[in-house]
Amino acid sequence: MPRATATFVCQSCGAVHPRWQGRCDACGAWNTLVEEVAESPLGLSAPATSPGKRARSGSSGAGPALVTLEAVTPAPDRVVTGVTEFDRVCGGGLVEASAVLIGGDPGIGKSTLLLQAVAGAALRGASAIYVSGEEAAAQIQDRARRLGLAAAPVRLATETRLEAIVDILKREKPALAVVDSIQTLWTEALSAAPGTVAQVRTCAHELVRHAKKAGTALILIGHVTKDGQIAGPRVVEHLVDAVLHFEGERGHHFRLLRGLKNRFGPTDEIGVFEMGDSGLREVPNPSALFVDRRGQTRPGSAVFAGIEGTRPVLVEIQALVAPTGGFGAPRRAVSGWDSTRLAMVLAVLETRCGIRFGGHDIYLNVAGGLKISEPAADLAVAAALVSALGDVALPPDTVAFGEIALSGDIRPVGRMDARLKEAEKLGFEQAFTPMAREARGKKQPATGPVRILPLESVSELVQQLGVESRPGGAGSSGPADDGL
Ligand code: TYD
Ligand code: MG
C-alpha cells in the first residue's frame, strides 16, 4: 500500500510545502495552498533509485546508457497536419514522440483548431486519435461536419480516466493524439479532484511518458486562468517539449497561435487564423488583415511595419485624442500595446517637442486585436498621436518603425529590410525609419522601391507632419497639467 502523506501544494505554481501557509514562498501568490494527500501513483513518486526502476532500466543496473553525440539517431520524422500556420508554429509539423501543450481561454477555438489539425493529419494518412473529456462524441461529430471534415479517418474517444487513455496509447500507438483537455483528466491513484495541481501534473506526466514510449506526437489542450497562465501548474510546461498559446480578442475574428517554448522549432513564431462559420481559416498574409488601406487617410492612423515571430507584419495603429470633459483626470486607454510605453512616448513628445497632451483623453488601439510588444512601434505610435492631436493625416502610403529614446532620438531597430519589403509588398511607397548610424549627418540614403524617410529625432517627425510644436502646445487647451 502506498503511504499517504499530506502536503500543501500551491495551485498557481505547483510548489510543495510541508505545512499550510498564507503565501507561497515559490511564486508569492496568496491563498493558493491546498492540502493534497500525496499517494504514490503508478510508482511515480517512488524514489528514482527504487529497486523496481533499476531493474527496468535494463543493463547492469548502472543507470542509463551513454551514447556519443555522433551516434545519436538523427532528427525524428514530423507529423504534418496540413494546417500550414499550425505546422509552421510547431517548427514544420509535430515531432514524433513529443508533447505539445496548447493553452488558451475557454471558447477561443482550441478544440476547433485541434480537430482541424487532427483531421488534416488523418487525411494525410497518419493514424490520429482525438480524446475528449469535454464533449460527447456526437458533439464532436457535429463540429467535424460543420468544418467539412466528417469523413476524415479520425478515431474518437470520450474519456477522462488517465488509465484508459494510457491503454489507448499503448494499444494503438497512434502517430498523433490530442487530449482535450488536461483539466478534465483524473487518475484512480489520486483522491484529489480533476483540475487540481496533483491530478493535472500526474496525468500530464504519465501521458507524456507513454506518448514518448509509443512514438506518438501528443497534444495536450489546457485552459488558461484569468491571469493568463495555463491553469493548473507551470510544471506541465516543463513536462512538454513545446508550449503554444492560442489567443484572440473577444469580438474579433482573428486568432493567433503563439509559440512560447519549442524544443524543435523557433519560439516567438505566430500563426494567424480567422474564425468563420466553417471553422478556422488560415491567414497566410496577416498584414492585409491588420491594415485598412482606406483608414490611412484619416488623422490618428499610422501603419507600423513590425516583426511578429520571424515574419514581418504590418499593422495599423489608431489614436484618438479628445479634450477631457469636466474636471476629471485625462483618460489613457490602451489596447494591444503597453501603457507604460505610451506614457513614455507622450512624455518624450511633451518634453522634446513641446507637444502637450495635457487636458486630453487618449485612446490608443492596435487594429485587429493584435498585441505588440516591440519597442520598434514607438515611432508609429508617436506618429498616430501627433497626427490625432494636430488633426492632420500622415502622408499617404507610409509606414513607420523605430524605437524612441528618452532623449527623443530615434534608434535603429532590427530587420529593417524585412519590414521595408513587407511594406513594398502591400503597396506602400514610403517609410519613416530610424537614421542608420553610418548615415547620421549625411544626406538621405539611396531610395529603394519604398522611399526611406530617415528620422534622427522625434521632433523631425513632428516637423514632417506639419504639426506646430510650440510651448503651450498644439491643440492644447486649458492649464498645462501633466496628464499622466
Ligand atoms: P471551441 O473550439 O469549442 O473553443 P475552445 O475549445 O477553445 O473552448 O470554439 C468555440 C467557439 O468557436 C464557439 O463560440 C463557436 C465558435 N465557432 C465558430 O465560430 N465557427 C466554427 O466553425 C466553429 C466550429 C466554432
Ligand atoms: Mg474545447
Side-chain angles (χ1 to χ4, degrees):
M1 273 299 285
R3 200 161 56 95
T5 41
T7 51
F8 294 84
V9 178
C10 172
Q11 301 294 302
S12 166
C13 72
V16 181
H17 303 263
R19 64 191 70 80
W20 191 85
Q21 54 197 61
R23 185 165 184 263
C24 171
D25 294 334
C27 69
W30 286 92
N31 294 326
T32 52
L33 296 203
V34 168
E35 181 175 5
E36 283 176 8
V37 180
E39 289 118 324
S40 177
L42 316 175
L44 236 188
S45 45
T49 50
S50 73
K53 271 247 163 104
R54 201 177 275 183
R56 252 180 285 138
S57 69
S59 65
S60 60
L66 297 172
V67 281
T68 57
L69 202 48
E70 221 181 2
V72 175
T73 36
D77 285 342
R78 289 181 185 255
V79 180
V80 173
T81 68
V83 180
T84 328
E85 293 285 291
F86 177 79
D87 290 338
R88 201 166 47 76
V89 174
C90 292
L94 294 151
V95 176
E96 64 181 30
S98 74
V100 178
L101 175 68
I102 296 196
D105 290 330
I108 205 74
K110 300 182 294 298
S111 304
T112 308
L113 174 68
L114 273 308
L115 188 60
Q116 285 181 240
V118 163
L123 286 168
R124 285 176 155 64
S127 65
I129 290 184
Y130 190 96
V131 182
S132 178
E134 306 225 326
E135 289 151 313
Q139 264 176 301
I140 301 169
Q141 187 194 37
D142 207 41
R143 175 181 292 139
R145 218 176 273 139
R146 191 166 157 187
L147 302 173
L149 297 169
V154 175
R155 284 171 302 160
L156 295 180
T158 46
E159 187 56 74
T160 54
R161 200 167 59 89
L162 172 70
E163 288 74 10
I165 301 172
V166 167
D167 279 346
I168 297 176
L169 290 181
K170 277 187 185 160
R171 193 177 66 229
E172 305 285 339
K173 299 203 182 337
L176 174 62
V178 173
V179 176
D180 185 4
S181 66
I182 186 73
Q183 276 96 12
T184 59
L185 302 187
W186 61 282
T187 165
E188 290 161 353
L190 294 178
S191 50
T196 53
V197 171
Q199 286 283 9
V200 169
R201 182 181 44 205
T202 307
C203 292
H205 187 281
E206 285 299 294
L207 282 178
V208 170
R209 198 163 71 88
H210 284 282
K212 298 215 161 174
K213 250 192 201 162
T216 300
L218 174 73
I219 303 177
L220 299 171
I221 298 182
H223 296 300
V224 160
T225 55
K226 264 185 253 122
D227 50 0
Q229 283 178 19
I230 292 178
R234 289 244 184 84
V235 278
V236 177
E237 301 191 9
H238 301 301
L239 292 176
V240 294
D241 301 297
V243 179
L244 313 179
H245 231 259
F246 201 42
E247 55 194 43
E249 293 277 306
R250 296 226 173 273
H252 284 292
H253 296 284
F254 312 116
R255 299 286 182 269
L256 298 181
L257 184 66
R258 204 181 275 280
L260 300 182
K261 153 186 169 177
N262 196 344
R263 283 189 193 143
F264 304 114
T267 47
D268 294 338
E269 191 65 86
I270 63 164
V272 185
F273 298 87
E274 197 175 2
M275 180 64 101
D277 285 339
S278 51
L280 291 157
R281 199 175 58 79
E282 298 170 57
V283 180
N285 185 359
S287 297
L289 271 185
F290 299 127
V291 175
D292 172 11
R293 299 306 300 261
R294 287 156 308 172
Q296 290 159 54
T297 48
R298 287 189 287 253
S301 159
V303 176
F304 167 50
I307 302 282
E308 282 287 344
T310 54
R311 251 191 322 189
V313 174
L314 300 194
V315 52
E316 185 186 338
I317 292 179
Q318 303 153 351
L320 182 68
V321 178
T324 307
F327 297 101
R331 287 201 60 176
R332 304 287 183 249
V334 192
S335 159
W337 206 51
D338 180 17
S339 50
T340 323
R341 201 84 199 164
L342 171 66
M344 189 212 85
V345 170
L346 288 174
V348 170
L349 283 170
E350 297 207 15
T351 318
R352 307 294 172 200
C353 315
I355 300 230
R356 306 203 68 87
F357 290 91
H360 286 80
D361 291 342
I362 295 175
Y363 300 87
L364 190 82
N365 180 42
V366 177
L370 199 69
K371 285 194 185 66
I372 297 179
S373 50
E374 261 194 301
D378 292 351
L379 187 60
V381 169
L385 288 169
V386 172
S387 146
L389 182 73
D391 200 28
V392 286
L394 263 65
D397 296 320
T398 306
V399 298
F401 57 86
E403 181 181 344
I404 296 178
L406 288 179
S407 59
D409 287 350
I410 315 284
R411 285 214 200 107
V413 295
R415 305 205 45 204
M416 294 236 326
D417 290 346
R419 297 174 200 265
L420 292 171
K421 203 168 264 164
E422 182 73 5
E424 182 196 339
K425 213 163 80 186
L426 274 113
F428 284 83
E429 282 164 12
Q430 42 182 15
F432 287 122
T433 72
M435 176 89 71
R437 263 185 211 98
E438 56 275 20
R440 292 204 172 213
K442 292 192 203 146
K443 272 196 73 79
Q444 287 192 2
T447 53
V450 175
R451 200 161 76 93
I452 294 173
L453 309 168
L455 302 174
E456 219 161 336
S457 72
V458 74
S459 31
E460 286 181 22
L461 170 78
V462 174
Q463 272 167 22
Q464 294 247 6
L465 297 185
V467 175
E468 274 188 53
S469 53
R470 54 189 139 80
S476 171
S477 62
D481 58 314
D482 69 10
L484 287 170

